Amino acid sequence: MTLLEQLRAETRLLHEQTEQLLYADALRSGTLSPRQYGHLLRMQAAYHDALEKAIDRHPAFFADYEPDRRRKTPWLRADLTSAGQTLPALSEGFADWSPAQLLGAAYVGEGSMLGGKTVWHYLNQSPALRPLLADARFYRGYGPETGTLWRTFIDFLSRQDAAPAEVVEGARQAFRLFQELFDRTRADLRPEPAYSAD
């Protein structure tokens, strides 16, 4: 079994649990509100900002990962401003993680970009979100580069001399952190902005 196959198999349940937590029903039914959208952005911002800072502390290990090409925090900052929300007080959730564990967390972050096209489609089904989506960036993901960047990430993953068990445990912990951040970033959301669907 390859490391990728092991990651998929051993994180499948946590992946499914996380997807269901993230307003899945409202997203799929086209009823996601601007407040819920802002909450998703805040959660993603907390995760990606902390992960990017942690990866930057291991430049030699992550050189071929091309971290500058994969930064998502600038997109999230812009989207949060458009949604009338603020960047959350960011957690140092990855502060003590090894490069192998961070590789697992990067797998979770990069994997979420694969689903971006589907999420983007669903976001556009919510009339209340349309005023926020004209210049939205994060959920557009890597656009036409998505497939290429995923393949280069998998190539990078396969070439690392890291203990598979440690990488898998990092991915499992990363999914759990996503779930924790869902609760943490909901507490201080600003009130629902008033938007017209016209």
Side-chain angles (χ1 to χ4, degrees):
M1 182 182 287
T2 67
L3 178 54
L4 177 61
E5 290 168 340
Q6 194 174 347
L7 280 162
R8 284 176 173 158
E10 297 192 29
T11 63
R12 182 172 288 113
L13 181 58
L14 282 165
H15 188 176
E16 291 170 356
Q17 290 171 345
T18 304
E19 281 185 345
Q20 287 307 307
L21 183 68
L22 307 182
Y23 303 118
D25 291 341
L27 183 65
R28 291 182 184 127
S29 65
T31 59
L32 195 76
S33 72
R35 182 180 173 85
Q36 290 169 324
Y37 172 64
H39 180 203
L40 292 178
L41 292 174
R42 285 170 57 79
M43 180 202 65
Q44 294 280 1
Y47 182 89
H48 288 287
D49 187 72
L51 177 59
E52 288 164 9
K53 287 175 178 173
I55 284 173
D56 286 344
R57 289 193 283 269
H58 302 278
F61 185 92
F62 283 100
D64 291 339
Y65 172 73
E66 299 181 290
D68 288 340
R69 190 178 181 193
R70 296 177 185 273
R71 291 193 194 279
K72 300 158 192 74
T73 304
W75 303 342
L76 285 156
R77 281 199 183 101
D79 289 355
L80 281 164
T81 298
S82 296
Q85 300 295 338
T86 58
L87 198 68
L90 298 172
S91 162
E92 286 296 315
F94 300 104
D96 300 321
W97 287 36
S98 70
Q101 289 173 306
L102 291 171
L103 188 56
Y107 163 79
V108 174
E110 292 303 308
S112 71
M113 294 292 97
L114 285 179
K117 184 176 181 180
T118 301
V119 173
W120 181 247
H121 168 77
Y122 284 134
L123 289 173
N124 279 278
Q125 304 311 303
S126 294
L129 296 184
R130 287 180 191 146
L132 302 175
L133 299 179
D135 297 316
R137 185 62 189 83
F138 175 73
Y139 281 108
R140 293 178 192 256
Y142 295 130
E145 287 192 293
T146 299
T148 298
L149 284 171
W150 176 248
R151 287 188 294 274
T152 60
F153 173 73
I154 294 308
D155 180 60
F156 171 75
L157 177 73
S158 68
R159 288 186 284 108
Q160 300 316 299
D161 184 20
E166 197 173 353
V167 177
V168 170
E169 185 54 30
R172 292 173 61 82
Q173 290 178 23
F175 275 117
R176 291 188 195 104
L177 180 59
F178 248 123
Q179 294 173 5
E180 290 171 20
L181 288 172
F182 184 83
D183 291 329
R184 282 194 229 163
T185 55
R186 180 169 42 190
D188 57 348
L189 274 171
R190 290 183 181 176
E192 187 81 81
Y195 289 102
S196 168
D198 298 336

